[in-house]
Amino acid sequence: MEYYERIKELRKDNSLTQQNIADLLHIGQRTYSDYESGKTRIPVDSLIILAKYYNVTLDYISGISDIKNKYPLE
Protein backbone atom coordinates (compact mmCIF):
# COMPACT_ATOMS: atom_id res chain seq x y z
CA MET A 1 0.00 0.00 0.00
CA GLU A 2 1.28 3.48 -0.85
CA TYR A 3 1.70 6.04 1.93
CA TYR A 4 -1.04 8.28 0.52
CA GLU A 5 -3.49 5.37 0.60
CA ARG A 6 -2.44 4.60 4.17
CA ILE A 7 -2.98 8.13 5.46
CA LYS A 8 -6.42 8.18 3.85
CA GLU A 9 -7.29 4.81 5.39
CA LEU A 10 -6.15 5.93 8.84
CA ARG A 11 -8.17 9.13 8.59
CA LYS A 12 -11.32 7.30 7.56
CA ASP A 13 -10.85 4.56 10.18
CA ASN A 14 -10.83 7.32 12.79
CA SER A 15 -13.93 9.03 11.35
CA LEU A 16 -12.04 12.25 10.64
CA THR A 17 -12.39 14.72 7.81
CA GLN A 18 -9.60 16.04 5.64
CA GLN A 19 -10.16 19.40 7.32
CA ASN A 20 -9.56 17.83 10.76
CA ILE A 21 -6.17 16.54 9.66
CA ALA A 22 -5.31 19.70 7.73
CA ASP A 23 -5.91 21.67 10.93
CA LEU A 24 -3.64 19.28 12.84
CA LEU A 25 -0.88 19.81 10.26
CA HIS A 26 -1.53 23.59 9.99
CA ILE A 27 -2.16 23.40 6.25
CA GLY A 28 -5.12 23.95 3.94
CA GLN A 29 -7.64 21.19 3.27
CA ARG A 30 -6.78 21.32 -0.44
CA THR A 31 -3.11 20.66 0.31
CA TYR A 32 -4.02 17.70 2.48
CA SER A 33 -6.33 16.41 -0.25
CA ASP A 34 -3.36 16.52 -2.62
CA TYR A 35 -1.35 14.44 -0.12
CA GLU A 36 -4.08 11.78 0.02
CA SER A 37 -4.44 11.63 -3.74
CA GLY A 38 -0.70 11.29 -4.28
CA LYS A 39 -0.51 14.54 -6.29
CA THR A 40 1.86 16.09 -3.75
CA ARG A 41 4.40 14.32 -1.56
CA ILE A 42 3.78 14.78 2.13
CA PRO A 43 6.73 16.23 4.08
CA VAL A 44 8.49 13.92 6.53
CA ASP A 45 7.72 16.17 9.49
CA SER A 46 4.01 15.88 8.66
CA LEU A 47 4.33 12.08 8.49
CA ILE A 48 5.87 12.11 11.95
CA ILE A 49 2.99 14.21 13.29
CA LEU A 50 0.49 11.76 11.76
CA ALA A 51 2.34 8.74 13.15
CA LYS A 52 2.22 10.23 16.64
CA TYR A 53 -1.41 11.28 16.25
CA TYR A 54 -2.58 7.86 15.05
CA ASN A 55 -0.11 6.06 17.36
CA VAL A 56 1.45 3.98 14.59
CA THR A 57 5.01 3.63 13.33
CA LEU A 58 6.40 5.43 10.32
CA ASP A 59 6.96 1.98 8.78
CA TYR A 60 3.20 1.44 8.91
CA ILE A 61 2.29 4.86 7.51
CA SER A 62 4.86 4.60 4.73
CA GLY A 63 3.61 1.17 3.70
CA ILE A 64 6.87 -0.61 4.50
CA SER A 65 5.00 -2.72 7.04
CA ASP A 66 1.40 -3.83 7.30
CA ILE A 67 1.79 -4.45 11.03
CA LYS A 68 0.14 -1.69 13.04
CA ASN A 69 2.75 -1.25 15.80
CA LYS A 70 2.46 1.65 18.23
CA TYR A 71 4.56 4.77 17.79
CA PRO A 72 7.73 4.44 19.89
CA LEU A 73 7.68 6.72 22.93
CA GLU A 74 11.47 7.01 23.11
Side-chain angles (χ1 to χ4, degrees):
M1 179 176 284
E2 297 289 333
Y3 76 89
Y4 55 87
E5 295 169 313
R6 185 76 74 186
I7 62 173
K8 184 175 185 176
E9 176 186 80
L10 284 165
R11 178 182 59 78
K12 287 185 171 189
D13 287 349
N14 286 277
S15 302
L16 298 166
T17 65
Q18 287 183 343
Q19 187 64 57
N20 296 140
I21 302 304
D23 291 345
L24 172 73
L25 298 176
H26 305 288
I27 58 173
Q29 180 273 327
R30 182 67 165 180
T31 300
Y32 185 74
S33 175
D34 288 346
Y35 293 165
E36 280 193 0
S37 68
K39 288 181 185 176
T40 304
R41 289 187 178 262
I42 187 169
V44 173
D45 58 332
S46 294
L47 285 174
I48 293 169
I49 292 168
L50 292 178
K52 288 179 180 179
Y53 182 76
Y54 292 125
N55 194 25
V56 296
T57 62
L58 284 172
D59 284 351
Y60 182 76
I61 283 194
S62 66
I64 292 171
S65 173
D66 289 330
I67 300 169
K68 207 173 193 177
N69 290 322
K70 292 185 178 187
Y71 187 85
L73 296 176
E74 294 181 18

